[in-house]
Each structure stands twice: as C-alpha cells, then as structure tokens.
Amino acid sequence: MPSQPRAPLLRMSKAAMPHDCNHAHQGSRAVTPRIDMPRPEFTSRTPVLLVLWPLLAAIAVSSCAPSTPVAGQVELLNVSYDPTRALYEDINQAFAADIRSRSGVEVVISQSHGGSAKQARSVLDGLEADVVTLALGHDIDALAANQLLAADWQTRLPHNSAPYTSTVVFLVRKGNPQRIQDWPDLVRAGVGVVTPNPKTSGGARWNYLAAWSYAMRQPGADETRALAFVAALFANVRVLDSGARGATTTFVERGIGDVLLAWESEALLARDELGAGAFDIVMPSLSILAEPTVAVVDRVSARHGTEAMARQYLEFLYTPAAQEIIARHHYRPRDPQVAARHAGQFPELQLVSIADLGGWEAAHRAHFADGASFDRIYLK
Amino acid sequence: MIGPDRRYRIARSALILGALSVAGLFLVLPLLIVLSGAIAKGWSLYLASISEPDALAALRLTLTVTAIAVPLNLVFGVVAAWCIAKFEFPGRSALITLIDLPLAVSPVISGLIYVLLFGAQGLLGPWLGEAGFRVIFAVPGIVLATIFVTFPFVARELIPVMQAQGRDHEEAALSLGASGWQTFWRVTLPNIKWGLLYGVILCNARAMGEFGAVSVVSGHIRGKTNTLPLHVEILYNEYQHTAAFAVASLLVLLALLTLVAKTWVEARAHRDRHPDPIVQPDEELP
C-alpha cells in the first residue's frame, strides 16, 4: 500500500475542517468555542479502506455472483448422511431435469451432509430440511418422536422407505497382507481396524451390529461372549472417526490400519476410483442388511409449502432412472432389473436384517444408548 | 581455543539457523504445499475450482460475515476498552474477564451456545421460529458465532493503549469546551488509531478463518451456509484434493493480505511514536 503524505500536525483555522463531514453533529454546534487540536490523521483514506476492504470485496464478489432464486422456483433442502454427496448430486440433476420436462417447474435442491446422528440432531435443532435421507431408520425415528413427522413414516414409501440397501464389508490393503478373511481375523493381535464412532455415525452402527450378529451366531454364543468379541475388536481400532467418510479418508489417504469396516459403497469407491489397485475387498461370511431410509419432514415442508415436491423427489428415487444412478454409485438397487444389470458388483452373502435384532429401538437400547453395550466395552 | 567473540558468532548463527528452520518447516513448507497442491493439475483446473458456484458462494459468505462482524466488533471493542480504561465502576474486573471469555472457551462451545439459545429446541428458538426468523443454520447464526469468537481482539489491543494514556488529554479537551464527539474524534482516536487498526486486522483474520464455532451453527448447506474454511473441508472429504487446495489458497491469499496490512500498520505506528521533531505541539499551543 502506498503511504500517504503526512498531514500537518497542526492546523489553525476558523472554518470547518474538511474532515468534519465525518459526523453530523458538527453543524449544529457552531457556537462552541473552537479549539485547535492535532488533526486526526484518520481521515487519510488508506486506513479506512483497510478496515472496509472485506465489505468492498464482498460487494465486488456479490456483483459477479449468480443472482438470488427466481420466483416460481421450488427449493428443497435434502439433509443427508456423510458419503452420499456424489450420489445426490447426480440424483438432483436427474430429478430437476425430469420435473422441468414434465411440468416446466424449476427445482433447486440444496444438500447438507454429515454424520447421520449429527444431521438428525441439526434437523431437531432447526435445520430446515424438507426431506431427510439418513443412514438408518433410528435417526428419523428421533425426528418423529419430536413431532417433526408422522410416527408411521416408514410405511409411506415402498421397501421400508429404503430406496436402496448396502452392507458392511472389509476393505484391506492390496494382496491382503494380513490374510483377513472373516470377522475372527479382526480380533487377532496386531491387526489395525478403522471404523467410525457408533455414537455419531450411522455407518458405524451397522458395522457394530454386523460384528455383534456374527458373534451371536457362533456355536455356544451368548451375550457375554458376543460382548467380549466386540470388545476385542474395538481394542484393535486405531482411529475412531466421527463419520464414515472420515474413516475412509483415514484408511485410504493417511494409510492407517490394516482393515476398514466400510459401507460396501465406500469400499467399492475406494477400490475402483480412489486408489485403483491399492485395495482389495473382502466379503465376510455374514454381514448386515443396511437400509438407509428417506422421509419427508412434514412440519418443515408444510411450512415451506413444498410437501408435494418433496414427496415426488423421494418417489423419484424408486424409478428405474434413479435406481440406475444409485447402482452406479455402488449402492444395491431395489429394482430387480437394475440389480440384475449390476449383479457382478454386488455378490450374494448372508445378511442379517435389523428386524432380526428386534428393530432399531431395541438395538439402540441394547447397544448405543448411554451405558449400553458400546459404552461398556469402550469406556472401560 | 575458540575466543569469546567467535563463540558468540557461532551461537548466534546456530540460533538463527534453528529459528529459520523451525519457521520454514512449520510455516513456510505447509504454505508451499498448499500452493503447489492448488496448481498441481494446472491453472485451468485451479481457476475452475475457485470460480465454481459453491466456492464463490463460500467466498461471498465469508466476506459478508467478515464485513458485518468486524465493524461491529470495532464499535464494541472501542466502547468496552473505553469503559475499562477510563472509568472505575463496580463490575469492571468482571467485564474484563467477560471480554476474555471467547479466548478461553473452545470455539465448538461458542457455537453450541447459540444452538442451545436459538435452536428449535433452545430457549428462544421456538419463539423466533414462529416469527419466521431463522438464526442458526442461516447467515445470522454464522455472524453471531463469528462476532463472539472475534470479540476480544479489538478490546484487548486497545485497553493497554488507553490505560497508558490516562484521562488527562480528554479532560483538558472537555474543560476547554470540546463536545464529547469532538473529544473522541480529535483527541482519543488519533491516540489509539494504530492499536485500533492492529486489533481490527487481527479480528479480520480470525473472522475469515474461523472454523469450529461456524461449523456448529452452519448446517453445511452447500452454496448457502458454507464459509470458505468449511468448503475446504467438504472438498477434501470428497477427495477433490486439487479443488480443496485451490480454495485453501484463497484463504492463504486473504491471510497474506492481512499480514501485509499488519506490517504496514506496525511500521506506521512505530514512525508515529518516534516522529521527526519538527513541530512540538505543546510549545505551539497558546
């Protein structure tokens, strides 16, 4: 910045000083005896520019930015869980094009992503979601318990309001140096496991329940032994990230751990796109049927007047076009024809469903509530 | 035998080398990594990353929030520092502690305070919600959180300056018939201006870079409530490393501008404290 010529320290003058425009009080006080004082150098323009430059920059950037939404356009906010960013970017584009061609209405869908439980918490705290597309039904139940939507929300759409499924698989380093084949290998000494925290991450809850289900199905199993098994597994956990995407980054980018307990979709993404050739996927003998669920948030969409559009948006997820996008993003589609086309990507394996565990409420109370099994093994 | 002179020079060089290598390793190297990561895949991708609509929206939001928070903190800071430095009143030390509070608590807690206060389940949230006014997960919440974490910077810079000056000049001006405003503009402000600018610059830097508190109240709606630091995290988590570094380089650029401004202010302040003795004001006044 060029330095300004310094103003004289003293200025003797009877007339109003040029910098008096700084404040309006001056004119009405003309009768006050005038005293001459050092002229404030603050009138030099540079420091003022210095203070105001964010303001000026903001104006400059705003002027070249896209304008605010046009009237007649419908806006939806989809609050979703961590790894679905790319999926919903594609879905949103397809949906907007579909609506535009059929009715000429312009739909703009905003996205917000984070750990599933944290996102549900934000919606409870006032994040204005027209629809929620979360990792598990329990998080949407929490919204229903606070009257944000009807308690029977899960029956409003086909397949338990889960337009696609996924499961939990093992992602290991290329060539599987630790020879990890199934769940028991994860509790071996020296095997580093990466999984997110079941307290904050929906994906992590599926991981935890998959391990638990495996342990409960071994000969002579009971709750004590199953608890000992998951305790041994979590003793091997190197990093407990808060969300599924963070855990994938820890394993893939930072190279921590020997095995990542991951959504099948995240594992396929990591194997085929991120570190092509650096990872292998191991299918355990038994895993869990993860059903990420979707729902219209009645109270918010009613206030926005977007119920019809929000419902259409979620119904669109079940159409063959959307199911194809879903399969391309490595989630298991519900549509049998689309599923057949992508069968090579999704091998069959024995899957336990949340109903086998007595439903989310029971599973939550037994494992993830304060003082439940996860706290007992992890806080020790 | 090595003479004391020689030993002194060796020690000096070792210390300088040590300081420079630490600074290089922990300050300059990460900066270079950010910048090289940003242009790793060519300038066209760099330009595309920073002119992408979500990145522009994040930049606009960051600058808007800064443009609101900094002037407000400028006013609050001057008022608070004035009260504390020039007057004795009951609760004065409590006020000093309160001003330091944002520095003491974790930024995440600062954000959470506003969620608990203005959230839909919070104290004022339901009432504000009915009035159709949204605070958290919208721009007002981000502004509030930013004001909270940047509150101490201006006041903290000004209090020692104002205390050192005492009240003599202002009392003289007032007794000579100057109005309150005149006294402020012509006596107080010229004396504190460099401290004030310095505080504003620090405040500005923190306001643009704040992550924790803003992350809690933002809601992370892309293109709407994501500031630049939040946008960098999103891009990084999406495996768009080049774009993440490109947007981070914008933040670096803003930081460098701030640094240049700070250096300039320090130089000017130094010159003001040691002026060329041409005119001595005290002798000239009748």
Side-chain angles (χ1 to χ4, degrees):
Chain A
M1 245 168 258
S3 97
Q4 298 277 317
R6 275 158 66 85
L9 275 174
L10 279 178
R11 171 174 298 186
M12 311 296 239
S13 93
K14 297 275 188 290
M17 296 181 188
H19 56 273
D20 281 352
C21 56
N22 277 339
H23 49 104
H25 293 268
Q26 206 62 44
S28 59
R29 292 180 184 271
V31 285
T32 333
R34 205 80 241 168
I35 39 163
D36 293 300
M37 291 195 189
R39 178 177 184 247
E41 280 181 60
F42 222 69
T43 50
S44 91
R45 280 189 310 279
T46 328
V48 177
L49 277 178
L50 211 66
V51 175
L52 292 181
W53 81 262
L55 188 70
L56 299 174
I59 293 166
V61 176
S62 317
S63 58
C64 65
S67 55
T68 40
V70 206
Q73 163 180 296
V74 181
E75 282 192 59
L76 292 180
L77 173 58
N78 175 3
V79 171
S80 191
Y81 60 111
D82 221 10
T84 56
R85 291 184 180 108
L87 167 68
Y88 280 109
E89 253 163 44
D90 288 355
I91 293 271
N92 293 349
Q93 242 172 26
F95 177 69
D98 183 58
I99 291 290
R100 197 184 304 124
S101 67
R102 285 196 290 129
S103 62
V105 176
E106 201 58 45
V107 201
V108 178
I109 299 148
S110 304
Q111 296 169 246
S112 167
H113 298 270
S116 187
K118 178 179 148 254
Q119 293 291 84
R121 180 75 242 174
S122 293
V123 174
L124 274 185
D125 282 330
L127 183 58
E128 304 245 325
D130 299 281
V131 299
V132 283
T133 54
L134 295 177
L136 39 90
H138 184 72
D139 291 328
I140 303 183
D141 283 337
L143 302 182
N146 283 276
Q147 284 85 46
L148 281 167
L149 67 165
D152 67 343
W153 63 270
Q154 202 154 11
T155 62
R156 294 194 296 201
L157 287 164
H159 300 294
N160 290 329
S161 290
Y164 57 86
T165 65
S166 192
T167 187
V168 174
V169 300
F170 303 163
L171 187 70
V172 297
R173 310 260 169 225
K174 184 74 192 169
N176 197 358
Q178 291 277 2
R179 295 184 318 283
I180 292 160
Q181 303 301 338
D182 204 357
W183 291 102
D185 297 316
L186 302 189
V187 300
R188 277 204 327 250
V191 172
V193 178
V194 176
T195 173
N197 186 346
K199 286 281 185 181
T200 54
S201 156
R205 293 186 179 193
W206 293 114
N207 295 347
Y208 186 94
L209 291 176
W212 177 270
S213 303
Y214 172 83
M216 285 299 280
R217 273 165 180 70
Q218 297 317 297
D222 56 18
E223 297 224 341
T224 322
R225 288 202 191 167
L227 199 65
F229 179 80
V230 288
L233 197 161
F234 272 86
N236 273 350
V237 169
R238 296 275 193 272
V239 177
L240 204 62
D241 285 289
S242 68
R245 187 43 72 87
T248 311
T249 308
T250 298
F251 184 77
V252 171
E253 303 286 330
R254 292 166 57 201
I256 293 173
D258 304 304
V259 53
L260 170 73
L261 295 187
W263 289 105
E264 184 181 44
S265 52
E266 285 283 281
L268 285 166
L269 179 75
R271 188 191 65 182
D272 298 343
E273 290 169 34
L274 297 176
F279 305 100
D280 284 332
I281 290 176
V282 173
M283 288 282 171
S285 64
L286 175 145
S287 192
I288 197 151
L289 177 72
E291 293 185 307
T293 43
V294 301
V296 174
V297 184
D298 299 336
R299 209 155 77 185
V300 177
S301 60
R303 192 163 59 234
H304 293 173
T306 52
E307 298 129 302
M309 189 60 84
R311 208 165 40 239
Q312 279 188 62
Y313 178 62
L314 295 187
E315 281 162 1
F316 178 76
L317 296 172
Y318 292 88
T319 62
Q323 292 279 305
E324 183 63 39
I325 296 175
I326 283 169
R328 266 212 315 275
H329 284 277
H330 313 302
Y331 298 92
R332 296 186 172 213
R334 292 285 198 183
D335 187 299
Q337 281 167 8
V338 178
R341 267 205 298 281
H342 293 269
Q345 204 185 169
F346 306 117
E348 300 251 343
L349 74 163
Q350 193 192 343
L351 295 175
V352 178
S353 80
I354 192 70
D356 300 334
L357 290 155
W360 266 117
E361 199 41 54
H364 179 78
R365 265 204 311 276
H367 300 293
F368 310 119
D370 283 340
S373 77
F374 179 71
D375 277 353
R376 288 210 298 281
I377 63 162
Y378 209 73
L379 296 180
K380 263 192 301 211
Chain B
M1 280 294 284
I2 308 172
D5 197 39
R6 178 102 189 274
R7 259 205 316 246
Y8 165 75
R9 262 183 287 146
I10 291 175
R12 194 183 58 172
S13 323
L15 279 176
I16 292 176
L17 196 70
L20 280 183
S21 45
V22 167
L25 195 62
F26 293 108
L27 298 174
V28 181
L29 197 61
L31 270 184
L32 290 180
I33 289 173
V34 168
L35 294 177
S36 70
I39 53 171
K41 297 199 177 143
W43 285 101
S44 55
L45 188 61
Y46 177 82
L47 289 176
S49 311
I50 59 173
S51 57
E52 184 242 351
D54 283 347
L56 274 185
L59 175 64
R60 194 163 63 241
L61 180 62
T62 293
L63 290 173
T64 310
V65 168
T66 309
I68 300 171
V70 172
L72 282 178
N73 268 340
L74 173 95
V75 176
F76 295 157
V78 169
V79 172
W82 182 295
C83 290
I84 286 167
K86 311 272 178 182
F87 301 101
E88 287 291 337
F89 54 94
R92 182 170 166 275
S93 53
L95 185 61
I96 297 178
T97 315
L98 272 182
I99 287 176
D100 281 342
L101 188 71
L103 291 178
V105 300
S106 153
V108 176
I109 306 296
S110 318
L112 221 48
I113 295 169
Y114 290 103
V115 173
L116 293 178
L117 200 60
F118 296 113
Q121 316 252 304
L123 206 60
L124 303 173
W127 180 71
L128 284 169
E130 269 171 39
F133 193 71
R134 275 188 295 154
V135 178
I136 58 162
F137 309 125
V139 178
I142 299 175
V143 171
L144 277 179
T146 307
I147 289 178
F148 183 84
V149 287
T150 57
F151 184 77
F153 291 99
V154 172
R156 270 280 134 206
E157 281 302 315
L158 286 186
I159 291 170
V161 178
M162 284 184 156
Q163 267 171 342
Q165 264 158 20
R167 290 151 55 168
D168 300 352
H169 292 184
E170 277 104 0
E171 281 169 359
L174 289 171
S175 68
L176 286 170
S179 72
W181 270 112
Q182 280 176 318
T183 312
F184 177 74
W185 282 105
R186 310 234 184 125
V187 180
T188 312
L189 199 55
N191 281 328
I192 61 166
K193 65 185 171 188
W194 297 120
L196 184 64
L197 264 182
Y198 193 65
V200 164
I201 286 165
L202 290 180
C203 181
N204 187 56
R206 180 67 189 267
M208 290 190 299
E210 177 57 27
F211 180 86
V214 168
S215 173
V216 176
V217 297
S218 135
H220 304 274
I221 308 171
R222 307 186 105 208
K224 286 189 177 162
T225 62
N226 267 332
T227 60
L228 274 185
L230 300 182
H231 192 61
V232 172
E233 194 212 15
I234 284 190
L235 290 173
Y236 187 75
N237 276 344
E238 275 179 22
Y239 309 116
Q240 302 187 35
H241 293 138
T242 312
F245 280 124
V247 176
S249 78
L250 279 185
L251 273 174
V252 169
L253 184 76
L254 293 177
L256 286 179
L257 278 179
T258 306
L259 215 63
V260 168
K262 175 180 154 285
T263 316
W264 181 80
V265 166
E266 275 173 347
R268 287 292 300 252
H270 182 77
R271 218 166 51 186
D272 262 20
R273 274 197 299 275
H274 309 279
D276 311 326
I278 303 168
V279 184
Q280 288 300 322
D282 292 355
E283 295 164 20
E284 293 272 329
L285 279 172

